[in-house]
Amino acid sequence: MAHIVTSVLENRPVAQDYYELRMAWPSWAPAPQPGQFLTLRTVDGPVPLLRRPFAFSGFDRADSAASIIYQRRGHATTLMTAKRPFDPFDILAPLGNGFPDPKSGRRPILIAGGIGMGPMLFLAERLAQTPYPGILIIGARSAQYLPRVVLSRSVQTILCTDDGSAGRKGTAVDIAREEIRQEGCAPELYLCGPHGMLAAGHALAEELDAPSWVAMEQTMGCAVGACMGCVVRVHGGEEYARVCMEGPVFDSRTIIWT
Amino acid sequence: MAHIVTSVLENRPVAQDYYELRMAWPSWAPAPQPGQFLTLRTVDGPVPLLRRPFAFSGFDRADSAASIIYQRRGHATTLMTAKRPFDPFDILAPLGNGFPDPKSGRRPILIAGGIGMGPMLFLAERLAQTPYPGILIIGARSAQYLPRVVLSRSVQTILCTDDGSAGRKGTAVDIAREEIRQEGCAPELYLCGPHGMLAAGHALAEELDAPSWVAMEQTMGCAVGACMGCVVRVHGGEEYARVCMEGPVFDSRTIIWT
Amino acid sequence: MDLSVRIGSGTLPNPVGVASGTFGYGSEYEKLIDLSIIGALYTKAVTPEPRPGNATPRIIETAAGMLNSIGLANNGLAGFKTAKIPYLRTLPCPAVVNVAGSKGDDYAKVIEELAGEDCIWGWEVNLSCPNVKTGGLALGTDPTEVEQLTSRLRKLSSKPLIIKLTPNVTDITAIARAAESGGADAVSCINTLVGMVIDTKALRPVLPGKTGGLSGPAILPVGLAAVYRVARAVTIPVVGLGGITEADHAIQYLLAGAHAIQIGTANFIDPTVHQKVLDGIQAFAVLHNLQSIPDFHQFIE
Amino acid sequence: MDLSVRIGSGTLPNPVGVASGTFGYGSEYEKLIDLSIIGALYTKAVTPEPRPGNATPRIIETAAGMLNSIGLANNGLAGFKTAKIPYLRTLPCPAVVNVAGSKGDDYAKVIEELAGEDCIWGWEVNLSCPNVKTGGLALGTDPTEVEQLTSRLRKLSSKPLIIKLTPNVTDITAIARAAESGGADAVSCINTLVGMVIDTKALRPVLPGKTGGLSGPAILPVGLAAVYRVARAVTIPVVGLGGITEADHAIQYLLAGAHAIQIGTANFIDPTVHQKVLDGIQAFAVLHNLQSIPDFHQFIE
Ligand SMILES: Cc1cc2nc3c(=O)[nH]c(=O)nc-3n(C[C@H](O)[C@H](O)[C@H](O)COP(=O)(O)OP(=O)(O)OC[C@H]3O[C@@H](n4cnc5c(N)ncnc54)[C@H](O)[C@@H]3O)c2cc1C
Ligand SMILES: Cc1cc2nc3c(=O)[nH]c(=O)nc-3n(C[C@H](O)[C@H](O)[C@H](O)COP(=O)(O)OP(=O)(O)OC[C@H]3O[C@@H](n4cnc5c(N)ncnc54)[C@H](O)[C@@H]3O)c2cc1C
Ligand SMILES: Cc1cc2nc3c(=O)[nH]c(=O)nc-3n(C[C@H](O)[C@H](O)[C@H](O)COP(=O)(O)O)c2cc1C
Ligand SMILES: Cc1cc2nc3c(=O)[nH]c(=O)nc-3n(C[C@H](O)[C@H](O)[C@H](O)COP(=O)(O)O)c2cc1C
Ligand code: FES
Ligand code: FES
């Protein structure tokens, strides 16, 4: 984990309300892993006050560049859309734990929804370079929210939309279930997206008795484990776990799904 | 007085840390007079919170344009330097009373210092079109603070600097005293600038038994007379007068100079 | 939807008022906005004697807020009668006179002398102004005093009597209950928080009176917590204020239990804020099919 | 210049501390900053029993501030001893243990059990946490209770004893004087203000516990006013905090009468803030030729 003041390289729309921001990555800084995140400051002043967390969507050591994909939602993300190449970019990174490798013999099924697409793209690209490449399933409400421009040819990708306006019609978890059945594989699930999608993914994993990993979200204060602000309820001795330290990636069976 | 959402036409540096911002002036809006001011909002959010007051430095009915000259000081004025042509510009204007015409037979001597230059340029241009043109004396700390690019050829102008790096050496009030002595005229003083300069101008007016008008400054809340925030101490029945309503222009003899 | 708000013997046409000290007596804003849409205009404080107010500067901006130390500057009762009453008679919205002083007699005197004025809709009793030295703490910090003063003032007028609460107390609900027992028709909260800013270049407090009253967006959460608690402690209506700059904030106050709200500092920033807030409240009511203001209170326990 | 600060039997190397609850126990930040420049590290609150903390979300941003409702989440005394004490032994700066509880016995228990630990420099007694229900108001709102508890704790340890004051009281100076009479070596103020935010889409308070504690730039003027008044009410040192995000703010606290300061929320925003504040204080001292911290107090009456 480091405090890095780097610069923006590129900031471009990739789907409706979604942007990809690439930043220079200093050689001394630790390399981000899929599932890890950064927190960034949008302004020098007191509004917006807190740093905002975003998962890495890619990292390229050769290009010395890392990227995130973000959705314009409120004040901070709106300010982010105005960032231009060479603007300074103040981040804490890399934070959190990242996704584990799939267990041997397991077929990685990567399920992404909404702002969860970033880390899944990153993980999919990584796995594509290993002997155990995954299937990436990206779900969106409708066609315009699909980030077509950032998709990689080296990753087996399935697009789906709730309204059927592009790709297959259905939720990403439903499509995953179909794919797994069709392939007849022993899957390992990786999920990032809205809470309901993660819960559905966990239910699918239980159904299939498969390992599954979910990247959780929670409003953050410090993002370094100090404030106890970002917790989620987990089974076991401690009632809560910190998303920024024990997570953001959790074995879905440790989470108390309510 | 009106709430006007207009647009920026031009925003250019005119001296070190000084900028001139021209804005479109809607035909329905009342015409600003020399000495009057506007208040503007720099952002939609809560920081900076309050509107900031600036005196008009010019108004051209034919061009449908008004202008201000502002100095970059703190948060709001720094944000103002980033305004571009066609940016929306939210103002309340015109506010305050404005300068009166000179009394008959009097020679208008206009004394400007620092951020006081705007209203003096405006007044000087106005008087230049009357049978009683004035002398405009602009004082600055040194050469780079003199707004040469905005000076009008139709106005008799004297520049002076504290350090003698440009124009005559001395304070604007000292130079005014010299000019008046040399001309042997019956002057009427108009002043805008730092508090100390206004007080010195008042002392000069007393010395010469001349009428004198000062444009005062005070931190403002509402700028429309409602909050009693912007007062200055005055002689007479009421202990205080509001800069935004009874001013910003006062007969210098009504002010309690401390 | 019925936007009206009943407070004691009176009814306000809508819940969106403008706060004392931020809107003068109305005339200052009439060129900028249509005063007839204002639910209630709370005047600048009136004291028995004229007050020049405090030394300057009186205002300083803070992070998402401002400090003021105006010091109850006003023309006094006599000045109010000659200079302001004639204007209030022409006002197209209800006028609530904000009453202030340094002791009980001051408040009584103002209400007694103005009680017969038809153009006055009601009273808002400012027990909380932190700018005036009443020998230490503000009058409105002691429940017993508040109850006594309220019942004294209650006898002087049958017009709606609103007690304005200061947030600078240990338990604002105790003060609110005291006002209720004393016969108040409503309480309004919050007044400003005590604050200070020091000029590290000049090496002195920015405000000559050292401390001032903090208002604006910064205090919104404090006002909301106060209104939430007070609304659960009393049965009379609560008028909520503090930090409202947009409709969403006003709706938060109504959801928290307020029957009406006031806009203060935001008037300085956007003269059209009143209209926007009123429109937003109506749109929210339509969205959730609310028939009247008390319907806003059903959502939050 | 001598940056050290004497509090009771102890001395802090410099006046810039990091506030309880915002810096964990230090380990969380050691990868980001040099902990040896920290004047005092105030730990997350320690209670006798482990506490899981409150339901989520626990944090919500407000205008220039944030509300938190962490709920004193901590491992309890036993957990603190096994999991944190070994780390504190390696800490290159003084560690002040922030002590919390719901009743007097809780505080006494924590201090009694930890009194022998050499790695603990002193105690900060949090009487003000608004997140924990102690049957209504916080413990630290009643002067008599504060004096009694302070003198009880005083007897348990000779290490510096700092009483942390809540701003949610009518008269913070009365509480400060009570702490002084009880034998406190210093008071620190302020803790968070009670605040609330309502989600008008979800139609419920954002924080499940409804209210939370407001911190950050928004509360700077409130903290400064409190420190200014408290510093004039007691003779023991005052540790100032609330809303500090830059050196200028810290200097304002020192000018107002504080002997030391703490940085809270700002740690989340800029991990290098501590260094910047310390540098700024030193530059200010050089500019004005100040020899020691009390020299900051000469400017403002
Ligand atoms: C570990 C993690 C990874 C994330 N990765 C991504 C990503 O890759 N792409 C993406 O678009 N978004 C991501 N988010 C969400 C992103 O942080 C929020 O969308 C962003 O903070 C919104 O800020 P805003 O000011 O625009 O909106 P606001 O109006 O402030 O808030 C909009 C929403 O974002 C949430 N939010 C606000 N502040 C924070 C905060 N400090 N921490 C967490 N959530 C907050 C709010 O609860 C609200 O639901 C991630 C969040 C977490 C916790
Ligand atoms: C009637 C009037 C006319 C003015 N005309 C001009 C002008 O023509 N050109 C020009 O450059 N400046 C003018 N000023 C001053 C200008 O308003 C301030 O420089 C500006 O508000 C600074 O804002 P900031 O955020 O950049 O600086 P800040 O850091 O906020 O403040 C810098 C200085 O400006 C003062 N200031 C801040 N807010 C206000 C406010 N709401 N009202 C008044 N003063 C404030 C502060 O007291 C401080 O001394 C005028 C002021 C008044 C009252
Ligand atoms: C400049 C100013 C003057 C004020 N004067 C008064 C007053 O005379 N009487 C009063 O009861 N409240 C007064 N207040 C307090 C406001 O009415 C209101 O309670 C407070 O500002 C909080 O609301 P806001 O955050 O919307 O401004 C004043 C506030 C400001 C900013
Ligand atoms: C997330 C968070 C947790 C906190 N936890 C504690 C605590 O355990 N004990 C305590 O005394 N104060 C606690 N505080 C209060 C801070 O120590 C400090 O008093 C307050 O935040 C004001 O300072 P600031 O504005 O610099 O943050 C906490 C504050 C925050 C933001
Ligand atoms: S955000 Fe502070 S512990 Fe995770
Ligand atoms: S700024 Fe409000 S009266 Fe002048």
Side-chain angles (χ1 to χ4, degrees):
Chain A
M1 159 194 341
H3 183 201
I4 308 173
V5 182
T6 178
S7 7
V8 173
L9 294 175
E10 191 184 5
N11 188 19
R12 60 167 181 158
V14 294
Q16 185 166 318
D17 291 337
Y18 284 89
Y19 298 78
E20 181 190 52
L21 187 149
R22 287 206 314 138
M23 69 207 81
W25 202 258
S27 54
W28 58 264
Q33 302 301 324
Q36 288 190 303
F37 65 103
L38 55 76
T39 62
L40 61 87
R41 208 172 164 194
T42 45
V43 293
D44 245 4
V47 179
L49 185 69
L50 296 170
R51 287 174 176 273
R52 296 294 199 266
F54 297 91
F56 286 98
S57 63
F59 171 66
D60 191 329
R61 176 65 82 190
D63 279 2
S64 298
S67 55
I68 59 175
I69 292 178
Y70 64 95
Q71 184 189 18
R72 184 160 56 80
R73 290 166 83 178
H75 192 186
T77 48
T78 302
L79 291 172
M80 283 167 68
T81 63
K83 297 270 176 214
R84 299 276 164 270
F86 308 115
D87 281 354
F89 203 59
D90 177 340
I91 63 175
L92 295 183
L95 304 172
N97 58 357
F99 289 105
D101 284 338
K103 284 170 197 53
S104 112
R106 291 270 168 188
R107 170 76 152 144
I109 309 289
L110 283 54
I111 308 176
I115 60 170
M117 66 176 77
M120 287 298 128
L121 288 165
F122 190 6
L123 179 63
E125 289 228 35
R126 269 298 160 83
L127 294 178
Q129 293 152 27
T130 67
Y132 34 86
I135 309 179
L136 172 61
I137 304 168
I138 302 182
R141 256 182 301 154
S142 61
Q144 68 269 35
Y145 299 102
L146 287 170
R148 291 183 182 276
V149 295
V150 292
L151 300 182
S152 160
R153 237 165 294 166
S154 54
V155 173
Q156 183 188 341
T157 307
I158 301 173
L159 300 178
C160 54
T161 52
D162 296 347
D163 63 3
S165 55
R168 283 154 71 170
K169 182 173 166 143
T171 72
V173 173
D174 289 341
I175 305 297
R177 182 184 281 107
E178 287 172 24
E179 279 304 302
I180 293 162
R181 192 177 309 136
Q182 219 164 324
E183 275 209 1
C185 62
E188 179 151 356
L189 304 189
Y190 295 85
L191 296 113
C192 190
H195 194 83
M197 193 196 92
L198 303 187
H202 168 68
L204 175 63
E206 294 286 80
E207 200 181 304
L208 303 170
D209 197 22
S212 71
W213 305 96
V214 288
M216 302 294 288
E217 259 196 46
Q218 186 59 269
T219 319
M220 291 187 170
C222 67
V224 300
C227 76
M228 310 303 289
C230 67
V231 299
V232 287
R233 294 191 65 205
V234 290
H235 297 287
E238 309 272 344
E239 196 172 323
Y240 289 105
R242 295 166 295 185
V243 170
C244 71
M245 282 299 275
E246 285 80 46
V249 177
F250 293 88
D251 181 330
S252 75
R253 274 157 310 192
T254 64
I255 301 290
I256 300 182
W257 298 99
T258 44
Chain B
M1 160 195 338
H3 184 202
I4 308 173
V5 182
T6 178
S7 9
V8 173
L9 294 174
E10 192 183 6
N11 188 19
R12 58 167 181 160
V14 295
Q16 184 166 318
D17 291 338
Y18 283 90
Y19 298 78
E20 182 189 53
L21 187 149
R22 287 206 313 138
M23 68 206 81
W25 201 256
S27 53
W28 58 265
Q33 303 301 324
Q36 289 192 302
F37 66 102
L38 56 75
T39 61
L40 61 86
R41 209 173 163 192
T42 45
V43 294
D44 245 4
V47 179
L49 185 69
L50 295 171
R51 286 175 176 273
R52 297 294 200 264
F54 297 90
F56 286 98
S57 63
F59 172 65
D60 190 329
R61 176 63 85 190
D63 279 2
S64 299
S67 55
I68 59 174
I69 292 179
Y70 65 94
Q71 184 190 16
R72 186 161 54 80
R73 291 166 83 178
H75 192 186
T77 47
T78 301
L79 291 172
M80 282 167 67
T81 63
K83 297 271 175 211
R84 297 278 164 271
F86 308 115
D87 280 354
F89 202 59
D90 178 340
I91 62 175
L92 295 183
L95 304 172
N97 58 357
F99 290 104
D101 284 338
K103 285 168 196 53
S104 115
R106 291 269 168 190
R107 170 77 151 143
I109 310 289
L110 283 55
I111 308 177
I115 60 168
M117 65 176 80
M120 287 296 129
L121 289 165
F122 190 7
L123 179 63
E125 289 228 35
R126 268 300 161 81
L127 294 177
Q129 294 153 25
T130 68
Y132 32 87
I135 309 181
L136 173 60
I137 304 168
I138 303 182
R141 257 181 301 155
S142 61
Q144 69 269 34
Y145 297 103
L146 287 170
R148 291 183 182 276
V149 295
V150 292
L151 301 182
S152 160
R153 237 166 291 168
S154 53
V155 173
Q156 183 187 340
T157 307
I158 302 173
L159 300 178
C160 55
T161 51
D162 297 346
D163 63 3
S165 56
R168 285 155 70 171
K169 181 171 167 149
T171 72
V173 173
D174 290 341
I175 304 297
R177 182 184 282 105
E178 286 171 24
E179 279 303 302
I180 293 163
R181 191 177 311 138
Q182 220 165 320
E183 277 208 2
C185 62
E188 179 151 355
L189 304 189
Y190 294 86
L191 295 113
C192 190
H195 194 83
M197 194 196 92
L198 302 186
H202 169 67
L204 175 62
E206 293 285 83
E207 199 181 305
L208 303 170
D209 197 21
S212 71
W213 305 96
V214 289
M216 302 293 290
E217 259 198 45
Q218 185 58 270
T219 319
M220 291 187 171
C222 67
V224 299
C227 76
M228 311 303 287
C230 65
V231 299
V232 288
R233 294 191 67 205
V234 290
H235 297 286
E238 309 273 345
E239 195 172 324
Y240 289 104
R242 293 166 295 184
V243 170
C244 71
M245 282 299 274
E246 286 78 47
V249 177
F250 293 88
D251 181 331
S252 74
R253 275 158 308 194
T254 64
I255 301 291
I256 300 182
W257 297 101
T258 42
Chain C
M1 187 221 168
D2 177 11
L3 281 172
S4 70
V5 180
R6 201 159 172 89
I7 293 181
S9 60
T11 304
L12 299 173
N14 73 60
V16 185
V18 285
S20 176
T22 66
F23 212 79
Y25 304 88
S27 58
E28 294 80 0
Y29 277 98
E30 70 181 8
K31 285 187 207 107
L32 291 172
I33 59 168
D34 175 4
L35 300 182
S36 73
I37 62 155
I38 290 180
L41 187 152
Y42 298 78
T43 68
K44 176 70 192 164
V46 177
T47 57
E49 303 302 321
R51 287 181 187 247
N54 293 337
T56 59
R58 292 178 171 185
I59 285 177
I60 170 80
E61 186 160 325
T62 67
M66 61 172 275
L67 274 190
N68 88 78
S69 169
I70 307 293
L72 300 184
N74 82 106
N75 293 329
L77 246 180
F80 180 76
K81 280 184 173 170
T82 53
K84 306 299 174 188
I85 287 280
Y87 179 77
L88 293 188
R89 291 205 178 107
T90 69
L91 205 66
C93 66
V96 183
V97 170
N98 185 270
V99 185
S102 4
K103 52 189 192 305
D105 291 351
D106 293 346
Y107 295 89
K109 180 138 189 240
V110 173
I111 294 187
E112 220 161 10
E113 288 221 17
L114 296 175
E117 294 291 349
D118 283 344
C119 64
I120 297 173
W121 183 88
W123 319 103
E124 183 181 48
V125 180
N126 172 9
L127 298 177
S128 42
C129 189
N131 300 330
V132 176
K133 284 144 211 126
T134 49
L137 300 170
L139 238 147
T141 55
D142 181 50
T144 317
E145 292 226 35
V146 171
E147 182 171 345
Q148 281 170 4
L149 181 60
T150 307
S151 56
R152 177 172 175 192
L153 301 180
R154 174 73 291 172
K155 295 184 192 97
L156 302 176
S157 159
S158 59
K159 292 185 202 288
L161 178 65
I162 304 172
I163 304 294
K164 186 165 178 182
L165 308 177
T166 168
N168 304 298
V169 294
T170 306
D171 183 8
I172 197 169
T173 63
I175 314 290
R177 279 193 305 266
E180 182 173 34
S181 322
D185 295 312
V187 290
S188 56
C189 52
I190 57 175
N191 212 311
T192 54
L193 291 167
V194 178
M196 185 174 189
V197 174
I198 290 173
D199 183 334
T200 57
K201 295 213 177 60
L203 300 169
R204 60 164 182 257
V206 171
L207 302 176
K210 284 161 188 160
T211 59
L214 182 65
S215 65
I219 72 167
L220 174 66
V222 178
L224 269 169
V227 164
Y228 173 81
R229 293 159 75 178
V230 167
R232 277 143 193 83
V234 297
T235 59
I236 51 176
V238 180
V239 181
L241 74 156
I244 297 174
T245 63
E246 53 182 81
D248 182 76
H249 304 159
I251 294 165
Q252 289 190 55
Y253 272 104
L254 296 177
L255 292 175
H259 285 75
I261 59 101
Q262 297 177 28
I263 297 172
T265 303
N267 292 309
F268 301 167
I269 300 159
D270 177 7
T272 61
V273 59
H274 186 280
Q275 178 78 62
K276 289 175 190 158
V277 167
L278 190 55
D279 291 353
I281 289 173
Q282 284 188 276
F284 185 92
V286 170
L287 185 68
H288 294 284
N289 195 24
L290 310 180
Q291 303 308 318
S292 68
I293 297 297
D295 284 0
F296 280 81
H297 303 158
Q298 68 190 280
F299 301 106
I300 295 177
E301 221 179 283
Chain D
M1 185 221 171
D2 177 12
L3 281 172
S4 70
V5 180
R6 195 152 179 94
I7 293 180
S9 60
T11 303
L12 299 173
N14 74 58
V16 186
V18 286
S20 175
T22 66
F23 212 81
Y25 306 87
S27 58
E28 293 80 359
Y29 277 98
E30 72 181 7
K31 285 188 207 106
L32 291 172
I33 59 168
D34 175 5
L35 300 182
S36 72
I37 62 156
I38 290 179
L41 187 152
Y42 299 78
T43 68
K44 176 69 193 164
V46 177
T47 57
E49 303 302 321
R51 286 181 188 248
N54 292 338
T56 59
R58 291 177 171 185
I59 285 177
I60 170 81
E61 185 161 325
T62 67
M66 61 172 274
L67 275 189
N68 88 77
S69 169
I70 307 294
L72 300 184
N74 82 103
N75 293 330
L77 246 179
F80 180 77
K81 281 185 172 170
T82 52
K84 307 298 174 190
I85 287 280
Y87 179 77
L88 293 188
R89 292 208 178 104
T90 69
L91 206 64
C93 66
V96 182
V97 170
N98 184 270
V99 185
S102 6
K103 51 189 192 305
D105 290 351
D106 292 346
Y107 295 88
K109 181 138 189 239
V110 172
I111 295 188
E112 218 161 10
E113 289 221 19
L114 297 176
E117 294 291 350
D118 284 344
C119 64
I120 297 173
W121 182 89
W123 320 102
E124 182 180 49
V125 179
N126 172 9
L127 298 176
S128 42
C129 188
N131 298 331
V132 176
K133 284 148 209 117
T134 50
L137 300 170
L139 239 146
T141 55
D142 181 50
T144 318
E145 292 226 34
V146 170
E147 182 172 345
Q148 282 170 4
L149 180 61
T150 307
S151 56
R152 176 173 176 192
L153 301 180
R154 174 72 292 171
K155 295 186 193 97
L156 303 176
S157 160
S158 59
K159 293 185 202 288
L161 178 67
I162 305 172
I163 304 294
K164 184 163 179 183
L165 308 177
T166 168
N168 304 298
V169 294
T170 306
D171 183 7
I172 197 169
T173 63
I175 313 290
R177 280 193 304 268
E180 183 173 34
S181 322
D185 295 311
V187 289
S188 55
C189 54
I190 56 175
N191 211 311
T192 54
L193 291 166
V194 178
M196 185 173 188
V197 174
I198 291 173
D199 183 334
T200 57
K201 293 213 179 59
L203 300 169
R204 59 163 182 258
V206 171
L207 301 177
K210 283 161 190 159
T211 59
L214 183 65
S215 65
I219 71 167
L220 174 65
V222 178
L224 269 169
V227 164
Y228 173 80
R229 293 161 76 180
V230 167
R232 276 140 194 85
V234 297
T235 58
I236 50 177
V238 180
V239 181
L241 73 157
I244 297 174
T245 62
E246 52 182 83
D248 182 77
H249 304 159
I251 294 165
Q252 290 190 55
Y253 273 103
L254 295 178
L255 292 174
H259 286 75
I261 59 101
Q262 297 176 29
I263 297 172
T265 303
N267 291 310
F268 301 167
I269 301 159
D270 178 6
T272 62
V273 59
H274 187 280
Q275 178 78 62
K276 289 175 190 159
V277 167
L278 190 55
D279 291 352
I281 289 172
Q282 285 188 274
F284 185 92
V286 170
L287 184 68
H288 294 284
N289 195 22
L290 309 180
Q291 303 307 319
S292 66
I293 296 298
D295 284 359
F296 280 80
H297 302 158
Q298 67 189 282
F299 301 106
I300 295 177
E301 222 179 283

